[in-house]
Amino acid sequence: MFSINEAIEGWKQELAGRQTMIASDIEELEAHLQDEMDSLSIAGLSEEESFVIASRRIGNPDSICQEFAKINATVIWRNRFFWMIMGIVLIQIISKFASFFAFIGTIIGCQLIGWNPLIVGVISAGIQFAIMLWLCLGLYFAAVKLSVFQRLRQKTQIRIIIVVIGLNVLLGVLLNLGVRFWYTALLVRLGAEKVGQIAIGDTYKAFGLSILWPIVWLTLLIWLMPKKTPAEQRQTAAH
Amino acid sequence: MNLSKDLVAASATPLVLSILAEGDSYGYAIIKRAADLSGGVMQWTDGMLYPILHRLESQGLIASEVRIADTGRKRKYYRLNETGSAVIETYQTQWRTVYATLNKLWETKLCLA
């Protein structure tokens, strides 16, 4: 069964998906679509027919979005910049979170397997890497595949921003205060030797991750490299 | 008859501004007016008009405001301002010059034939 509301919603989603049109642009085009559909149905066409014709007259979403991209360049880059900053803040939160659990996990792991700087390094690097990878993948899925953030109302968006920044500050303060407290507690409970091994293990971890992360970033950057639209390709060819 | 893409693109701005000189209007009505005036020859892909309108607005030639239509739907109306009117005059001079120049050539040719 053809549902006119679903068809219009799908059409709007398609325009919004290219990220070059802002909400008011789409609203304006929708009003145009409705006007055109009204006049077509007065002429005797069915809802489905008038939708098909009206949307075709408005034009191919790709080329419309390209035209809007030229007009909205500032807005588009502002939006991209928003996500860059959001990304930095989220990565900070995730890595603080991950390093906390890596620390706890390492102590538990070493109590079970045995104490050795290499084991400390491998376990804590492994835990930290795994947690960060999974959280990043989850965020990617939520942000890109489901475009969760864009679907929220502005009030909710602002709340999320405040929560994210708050979490960043809170985790930072807690971890900085916590580290001093934990090391003292660990010295008392485990003794100087094991704490020393944790410290050496941390160096191994830092070394391992400093090689692992660039590989991950490289893979991600190549995978996500911005695709060129046909018009941009023609421009590059012309130069 | 089909106008070439370049010609349609070049004439879009003076056409839109001149239609707005008749009175405030919105995208759908501007397209209908252009089609009526030209007997259907001057037709854009509908969606392409809106980037033109937005560009003219950011250039400060027209202003927009949202009004509620009889149907209860929101509609964005555009209004020509003084700068826009002045620009129309420039366009008139340009297009008349082009037309007159070509015409002189074509009329001479006809006389010789």
Side-chain angles (χ1 to χ4, degrees), chain A residues 1-236:
Chain A
M1 242 325 261
F2 176 80
S3 147
I4 189 65
N5 290 329
E6 269 175 35
I8 294 179
E9 216 32 59
W11 176 78
K12 279 160 69 179
Q13 290 287 337
E14 204 182 344
L15 291 175
R18 312 286 202 288
Q19 312 270 330
T20 66
M21 293 174 73
I22 54 177
S24 65
D25 296 338
I26 295 177
E27 230 171 61
E28 199 180 12
L29 272 190
E30 188 192 358
H32 182 111
L33 184 86
Q34 301 269 17
D35 282 336
E36 183 82 347
M37 279 171 47
D38 285 352
S39 83
L40 288 169
S41 44
I42 289 171
L45 269 66
S46 74
E47 264 188 342
E48 186 173 2
E49 288 165 337
S50 44
F51 170 76
V52 170
I53 294 179
S55 59
R56 180 164 299 174
R57 281 192 186 158
I58 286 182
N60 167 347
D62 268 330
S63 39
I64 294 174
C65 289
Q66 257 170 43
E67 284 305 306
F68 273 99
K70 292 175 199 161
I71 307 291
N72 292 336
T74 327
V75 180
I76 294 167
W77 275 101
R78 254 182 82 114
N79 288 348
R80 286 181 188 165
F81 213 67
F82 172 86
W83 287 111
M84 286 181 216
I85 307 269
M86 195 65 158
I88 293 170
V89 177
L90 284 174
I91 288 283
Q92 281 184 349
I93 291 180
I94 290 175
S95 68
K96 280 168 192 166
F97 190 75
S99 69
F100 172 74
F101 279 98
F103 190 68
I104 306 271
T106 309
I107 292 166
I108 298 172
C110 286
Q111 293 282 35
L112 296 174
I113 304 171
W115 286 87
N116 173 323
L118 201 61
I119 296 177
V120 171
V122 169
I123 293 180
S124 67
I127 295 176
Q128 184 155 348
F129 189 71
I131 292 179
M132 282 193 73
L133 208 61
W134 279 109
L135 285 178
C136 287
L137 280 176
L139 276 176
Y140 170 80
F141 188 75
V144 180
K145 294 284 179 212
L146 307 176
S147 49
V148 169
F149 195 79
Q150 283 101 314
R151 281 167 202 250
L152 299 171
R153 275 180 304 171
Q154 200 173 12
K155 233 179 168 179
T156 332
Q157 287 183 340
I158 290 176
R159 273 192 210 139
I160 290 182
I161 292 174
I162 292 171
V163 167
V164 164
I165 296 290
L167 209 60
N168 196 343
V169 173
L170 192 72
L171 277 176
V173 170
L174 279 182
L175 285 178
N176 274 318
L177 292 178
V179 163
R180 276 157 190 80
F181 177 75
W182 287 322
Y183 269 108
T184 322
L186 283 174
L187 266 174
V188 175
R189 285 205 58 139
L190 298 174
E193 196 193 335
K194 287 175 184 172
V195 174
Q197 282 174 336
I198 293 179
I200 300 171
D202 265 348
T203 328
Y204 287 147
K205 171 180 108 171
F207 179 71
L209 287 180
S210 69
I211 293 174
L212 209 53
W213 278 122
I215 296 175
V216 173
W217 298 136
L218 184 76
T219 320
L220 267 179
L221 284 176
I222 289 177
W223 179 47
L224 291 173
M225 239 185 341
K227 291 187 184 71
K228 280 193 174 156
T229 58
E232 282 169 338
Q233 248 162 15
R234 255 177 273 134
Q235 268 178 16
T236 328

